[in-house]
Amino acid sequence: MSDTFPVHLKLTHYSLALFNTLLTVMTRHHVRFIFGKRRLCQPAHNKEMLRSLLVSSRRSTALCVRQLHHGVDSADVQYDGLYPGHIPTSPIQKALLAVGSGVAALQDPYRHDMVAVLGETTGHLALMTLRDRMRGDPEGYTILTERPRIRLSTLDLSKMASLPDGSFGREYLRFLEDNRVTPDSRVNVKFVDNEELAYVMQRYREVHDLLHTLLGMPTNMLGEVAVKWFEAAQTGLPMCILGAALGPLRLSTSRLEPLVTSLGPWAVRNGRQARCVFSIFYERRWEQSLEDLRKELNIEPPPLTITATSQKATLDL
């Protein structure tokens, strides 16, 4: 969908996605409905009705999401709001979006669009703090002024591939290859009602994979939870805190033990003591060694080596 599409219809698309999730939850738990004064007491009838609504809602949601994200990166498109793709919302609308997207993210952690909405609608105060930390750092201030983006179109992959092993750029490229991820998977910010704070949130998303490289964590569940613990301590974003709190519930016992005894304390400690990781102009640091960059940021090497697996990350934001 073009960014010129009416704002109220864009909000309708997100409402459809949240409605789809609520229907899923209600279908699973066989919730009874009351329409007006009439109670539908036939469980089979209720279930069929909900299933029919769910199928229709899912089809509409899929179409709306595809339309909503189509062409969002166009630099020439006209738009309403503070920045391209911005959707103005009231405090009540933000609250509803936060609750709905939170439910959606808990039901299906693969719904990165819903996780993104949750982060944008709950992170205002934390984003202000991060913005102020960046303003107080010369390199961070430059980033806020120049607004660099980390995309495939802005990366010189051939040059990064020619860098020596151990350099930050080469290790980041290896991370992308080993885990089969791309920086272009990060959705654009829509619900942050301040242009500068919207960029801070976008920078957070695009730096996420760089943090995996700095911390030596793959994109399996254990690696994602460890990164989320670091981010929660570093940023204070409610979305990160929620992910850090609930992520361990999805780990097996064998993976939970190293998180609690080793990786977790290490991630929290380094998140608190490290320099603001968003105040680093990483695009100018590709040739720097990973070891030197960690020392500069006051980040300790990971206590454990975790190898990448085929398991897809479920807390990737």
Side-chain angles (χ1 to χ4, degrees), residues 215 217 222 225-227 229-230 251 254-271 300-306:
L215 299 175
M217 293 293 111
L222 180 57
V225 174
V227 172
W229 282 33
F230 177 94
L251 291 174
S254 62
R255 288 178 175 265
L256 186 60
E257 190 272 336
L259 175 71
V260 174
T261 61
S262 180
L263 285 177
W266 163 79
V268 172
R269 181 176 65 254
N270 281 272
E300 304 164 7
L304 298 175
T305 299
I306 306 175

Side-chain angles (χ1 to χ4, degrees), residues 9-306:
L9 291 183
K10 290 184 179 181
L11 283 172
T12 300
H13 293 166
Y14 278 94
S15 299
L16 279 171
L18 301 182
F19 178 60
N20 166 49
T21 301
L22 294 176
L23 282 176
T24 303
V25 174
M26 291 185 290
T27 301
R28 288 175 180 171
H29 296 283
H30 310 293
V31 175
R32 289 185 177 182
F33 281 85
I34 300 176
F35 294 97
K37 296 181 179 180
R38 181 182 177 185
R39 183 184 297 270
L40 298 177
C41 297
Q42 298 81 9
H45 178 67
N46 289 350
K47 193 172 181 180
E48 282 302 316
M49 178 181 293
L50 287 174
R51 183 178 291 111
S52 176
L53 286 172
L54 180 59
V55 171
S56 176
S57 176
R58 279 177 172 167
R59 289 174 179 171
S60 298
T61 301
L63 176 61
C64 290
V65 170
R66 284 197 301 269
Q67 291 176 331
L68 184 62
H69 292 288
H70 177 69
V72 76
D73 290 327
S74 172
D76 299 325
V77 72
Q78 297 296 320
Y79 61 93
D80 299 321
L82 300 172
Y83 50 85
H86 175 236
I87 303 177
T89 48
S90 68
I92 293 178
Q93 289 172 322
K94 277 187 171 58
L96 292 175
L97 285 169
V99 172
S101 60
V103 172
L106 290 175
Q107 287 293 313
D108 183 4
Y110 290 99
R111 289 295 306 274
H112 301 311
D113 55 340
M114 292 294 100
V115 177
V117 172
L118 177 63
E120 294 174 29
T121 54
T122 61
H124 182 75
L125 294 179
L127 289 174
M128 289 180 62
T129 300
L130 289 173
R131 187 267 315 274
D132 292 344
R133 291 179 67 185
M134 293 178 71
R135 283 180 174 177
D137 185 287
E139 195 169 356
Y141 184 81
T142 301
I143 293 171
L144 289 175
T145 302
E146 298 187 15
R147 305 291 175 87
R149 296 292 303 272
I150 302 175
R151 315 284 289 178
L152 286 178
S153 60
T154 65
L155 298 177
D156 188 341
L157 299 182
S158 297
K159 181 178 179 180
M160 294 171 70
S162 68
L163 294 174
D165 290 342
S167 63
F168 180 59
R170 184 66 189 90
E171 296 308 316
Y172 172 57
L173 181 59
R174 180 176 287 112
F175 164 83
L176 296 179
E177 294 170 343
D178 290 349
N179 294 277
R180 299 180 181 180
V181 295
T182 169
D184 288 354
S185 64
R186 305 300 171 190
V187 298
N188 288 333
V189 175
K190 296 177 176 63
F191 296 109
V192 177
D193 295 331
N194 178 287
E195 188 270 340
E196 190 172 39
L197 296 183
Y199 175 75
V200 174
M201 174 59 82
Q202 192 69 47
R203 186 67 175 177
Y204 157 77
R205 289 177 182 167
E206 295 178 4
V207 164
H208 178 81
D209 287 341
L210 300 178
L211 291 185
H212 274 275
T213 305
L214 283 169
L215 299 175
M217 293 293 111
T219 59
N220 58 22
M221 177 57 75
L222 180 57
E224 284 292 348
V225 174
V227 172
K228 204 54 59 188
W229 282 33
F230 177 94
E231 290 179 339
Q234 168 85 187
T235 69
L237 286 167
M239 168 190 63
C240 296
I241 296 172
L242 182 64
L246 300 181
L249 299 178
R250 305 183 69 87
L251 291 174
S252 63
T253 303
S254 62
R255 288 178 175 265
L256 186 60
E257 190 272 336
L259 175 71
V260 174
T261 61
S262 180
L263 285 177
W266 163 79
V268 172
R269 181 176 65 254
N270 281 272
R272 289 175 175 172
Q273 72 185 23
R275 175 183 170 187
C276 179
V277 294
F278 307 107
S279 294
I280 299 295
F281 213 131
Y282 295 102
E283 296 88 332
R284 299 175 181 174
R285 304 295 193 98
W286 300 133
E287 297 181 2
Q288 185 174 355
S289 75
L290 178 58
E291 181 180 359
D292 287 346
L293 185 54
R294 281 175 175 167
K295 289 180 180 179
E296 181 180 340
L297 287 170
N298 200 24
I299 293 178
E300 304 164 7
L304 298 175
T305 299
I306 306 175

